[in-house]
Amino acid sequence: MTEAHTLAYVQACAVALNLPLDDERATRVALHLQRTCAMAALLDDVPLGPHDELVEIYRPAPYFPPID
Amino acid sequence: MSIGLTVHQIAQAVASGQRSAVQVLEEHIARIEATDPAINAFTSRRFAQARQQATAIDARRQRGEALGSLAGVPFAVKNLFDVAGDVTMAGSAVLRDHPPANRHAVLVERLLAADAVLLGSLNMDEFAYGFTTENHHHGATHNPHRAGHTAGGSSGGSGAAVAAAQVPLTLGSDTNGSIRVPASFCGVWGLKPTLGRLSRRGCYPFVDSLDHLGPLANDVTGLALTYDALQGPDPQDPGCHALGIDPTTEGLHLGTQGLRIGVLGGYFHEQAGPAARAAVEAAATALGARDEVLWPDAAQARAAAFVISASEGGSRHLPLLRRCPEALEPLSVDRFIAGALQPAAWYLRAQRFRHLHRKRVNALFHDWDVLLAPATPLSAPAIGTEWIDINGQRLPCRASIGVLTQPISLSGCPVVAAPLWPAGSDGLPIGVQLIAAPWREDLALRTAHALQASGVARLRPPAA
């Protein structure tokens, strides 16, 4: 992602999340997000298959019917 | 005078009647009042309640009742632990008007049940997102060994209070290094237990997937005694996976004979400055560790911890980020927003990588018992430092201090941070991580005890 792409992404996502951002803050946030983007790219290089699950998956709690 | 005595020495002295809990308490209160204007470790004090508690402990001893394992030991907690009657601030001003906690956090209750005496709450980075305790609401916490330098974070008050001999024992939290970094910068002992070992109930969360709680102390026996007192299952905390208590204190004297101790190279060498490398070398020499070991996918593990923290932290605080960003810490608010905006694909890939990584880390411990690595790439920088240089790389200071702790956070392995004082750090400490397999805190603590006995790792008196 270029700086311009990141800034555009930040501004669009902020609207989607109803997060008010002025231009100055959006620029600073985009800088942080670009650093994280570089981190995320490191993980893209790790081969993961369809059966590599999330580290923990949801477990339903025991169900007890209500007592009248 | 009880100032500077270890946790164990104080507990023994109070239990035997050699010193009263009230006497110990008053000496520590005087120490806090004399030093905290310069250090700014405490955000709230509960001296009146502490006096009542110490008086009650002394009365019980006089009646011949048995006292707890931490009898009369003064302690304080990072201000994200609930303390009954106080507002849990979590380093933020926006929580100031929230109602006070109606009960103590589980770990606070357990220390009080062991007869430790609670003196107050301690400074931190807002919502635990930082490594420097530069807090605009409460002021920065200063390093007791060098005024004007950071105490580390996010449990900076917890590290500084022990280093300044204000209390011999504190509690902190560690998501990406927040116990180990202040332990390193302040030159005290810290323990990040296995993820899921201790109850987190009653603590203000940062990152559910990575939050750990643990103690900082002025010696290893105190660290182990405290850790043992903190242990126990908690069926009401879904993040607590402990089924029982695995005591560690009695095994400390077993030493390192038979333990396979290695030194992490590769990433952990490349990301460490010369003084941090010297600290590890000194620890390795003292422990007879010669072999270099590679931590699996260390850079990716750090990246995954970074991505998960940003996403969960940002998402948690999205309502505040929408409503009042100007009221939040200026040093972290933009990072929180960036985290809230991260694509879900980044977060999910990090969590899927973590599954794979766990297998690789556990496989590593088939061949090793304890692994050594620096806790921080350098010693405590000056407050306000924006950039640091690590072996010719110019890096943003606040984001890079955790570069050596974050990879270990991801796996949830237990780590003791040991205080060393290497040449080339201008008289400041740098911590060494003693890392063991998940659920083997006993091995990390045994190794720490041996390192302390060698004289290589120890506390030094504060500057003032």
Side-chain angles (χ1 to χ4, degrees):
Chain A
M1 271 204 305
T2 64
E3 277 180 39
H5 286 141
T6 312
L7 184 58
Y9 173 88
V10 163
Q11 288 169 327
C13 280
V15 172
L17 288 175
N18 193 23
L19 191 61
L21 281 190
D22 59 33
D23 288 349
E24 261 184 45
R25 191 183 295 281
T27 304
R28 293 197 304 270
V29 168
L31 194 64
H32 285 295
L33 198 67
Q34 265 207 296
R35 283 194 195 121
T36 318
C37 185
M39 299 274 189
L42 282 178
L43 296 170
D44 273 342
D45 296 337
V46 178
L48 290 175
H51 297 292
D52 286 310
E53 296 175 338
L54 296 177
V55 67
E56 298 301 348
I57 50 179
Y58 174 76
R59 183 176 61 178
Y63 174 71
F64 301 105
I67 300 168
D68 292 329
Chain B
M1 185 67 154
S2 60
I3 301 298
L5 292 184
T6 67
V7 168
H8 188 45
Q9 286 168 334
I10 290 174
Q12 277 193 323
V14 170
S16 69
Q18 186 190 348
R19 293 171 196 271
S20 73
V22 168
Q23 178 194 357
V24 169
L25 175 66
E26 293 301 338
E27 288 168 355
H28 283 84
I29 287 175
R31 176 76 188 163
I32 292 165
E33 287 177 337
T35 56
D36 212 48
I39 291 170
N40 194 34
F42 277 77
T43 53
S44 69
R45 303 171 183 196
R46 23 191 306 128
F47 294 165
Q49 295 96 321
R51 286 181 170 115
Q52 286 174 5
Q53 198 197 346
T55 301
I57 289 169
D58 287 335
R60 283 171 45 218
R61 194 198 65 78
Q62 282 166 1
R63 290 198 298 268
E65 293 179 26
L67 299 182
S69 60
L70 299 171
V73 174
F75 80 104
V77 298
K78 185 174 184 173
N79 75 16
L80 53 65
F81 285 82
D82 283 351
V83 172
D86 292 351
V87 176
T88 306
M89 302 286 280
S92 182
V94 297
L95 303 183
R96 190 179 288 142
D97 298 327
H98 280 211
N102 57 17
R103 60 181 300 175
H104 299 308
V106 170
L107 297 193
V108 173
E109 275 177 3
R110 287 181 179 168
L111 290 192
L112 293 172
D115 288 327
V117 177
L118 177 61
L119 272 80
S121 297
L122 299 162
N123 204 4
M124 58 182 283
D125 291 281
E126 184 174 57
F127 298 132
Y129 204 6
F131 289 120
T132 55
T133 313
E134 294 167 290
N135 185 310
H136 282 77
H137 313 302
H138 301 292
T141 295
H142 288 248
N143 193 305
H145 296 288
R146 186 75 45 85
H149 284 237
T150 171
S154 62
S155 314
S158 305
V162 175
Q166 294 177 330
V167 284
L169 171 66
T170 58
L171 294 182
S173 70
D174 187 318
T175 303
N176 284 298
S178 289
I179 288 173
R180 292 163 286 163
V181 167
S184 176
F185 284 175
C186 292
V188 303
W189 295 92
L191 170 65
K192 181 198 83 63
T194 305
L195 182 66
R197 169 73 84 172
L198 300 180
S199 172
R200 301 187 298 198
R201 193 153 50 93
C203 287
Y204 198 93
F206 171 29
V207 178
D208 294 329
S209 296
L210 292 167
D211 285 348
H212 306 63
L213 305 174
L216 299 94
N218 65 1
D219 84 322
V220 177
T221 305
L223 203 64
L225 270 174
T226 305
Y227 167 63
D228 286 352
L230 293 171
Q231 287 190 62
D234 181 1
Q236 293 182 65
D237 175 4
C240 180
H241 306 304
L243 300 174
I245 295 173
D246 294 326
T248 58
T249 308
E250 284 183 11
L252 288 177
H253 69 280
L254 293 173
T256 56
Q257 196 168 12
L259 295 187
R260 301 160 299 172
I261 303 174
V263 180
L264 289 181
Y267 173 94
F268 288 89
H269 186 73
E270 292 154 15
Q271 301 294 332
R277 291 176 182 176
V280 173
E281 200 176 316
T285 302
L287 295 167
R290 282 177 290 277
D291 293 321
E292 184 179 294
V293 182
L294 294 180
W295 189 261
D297 303 322
Q300 288 85 351
R302 189 221 173 188
F306 194 102
V307 167
I308 291 168
S309 299
S311 193
E312 289 190 25
S315 170
R316 181 179 304 287
H317 295 297
L318 190 53
L320 287 175
L321 299 170
R322 286 185 181 124
R323 196 174 73 238
C324 54
E326 69 291 341
L328 300 176
E329 169 60 54
L331 291 174
S332 57
V333 64
D334 296 337
R335 281 188 288 143
F336 270 120
I337 294 173
L341 301 181
Q342 273 184 195
W346 293 359
Y347 176 81
L348 291 169
R349 194 164 182 87
Q351 290 286 19
R352 291 172 67 214
F353 166 77
R354 197 179 190 195
H355 191 179
L356 192 70
H357 185 65
R358 175 169 61 184
K359 290 182 197 166
R360 291 180 180 163
V361 168
N362 278 6
L364 184 68
F365 285 104
H366 293 167
D367 299 319
W368 300 98
D369 294 304
V370 174
L371 297 168
L372 311 183
T376 50
L378 71 182
S379 58
I383 290 168
T385 298
E386 296 291 341
W387 296 91
I388 54 174
D389 182 288
I390 302 174
N391 305 323
Q393 299 176 81
R394 185 172 180 265
L395 299 167
C397 177
R398 295 184 185 93
S400 304
I401 288 174
V403 70
L404 299 166
T405 47
Q406 280 175 302
I408 316 299
S409 294
L410 190 76
S411 65
C413 290
V415 184
V416 171
L420 277 84
W421 304 81
S425 67
D426 196 22
L428 289 171
I430 296 185
V432 171
Q433 299 184 84
L434 313 175
I435 306 155
W439 311 104
R440 296 309 306 266
E441 287 85 351
D442 58 322
L443 299 182
L445 285 162
R446 263 173 64 185
T447 306
H449 194 258
L451 197 57
Q452 179 178 259
S454 76
V456 167
R458 62 195 164 89
L459 268 70
R460 283 186 180 174

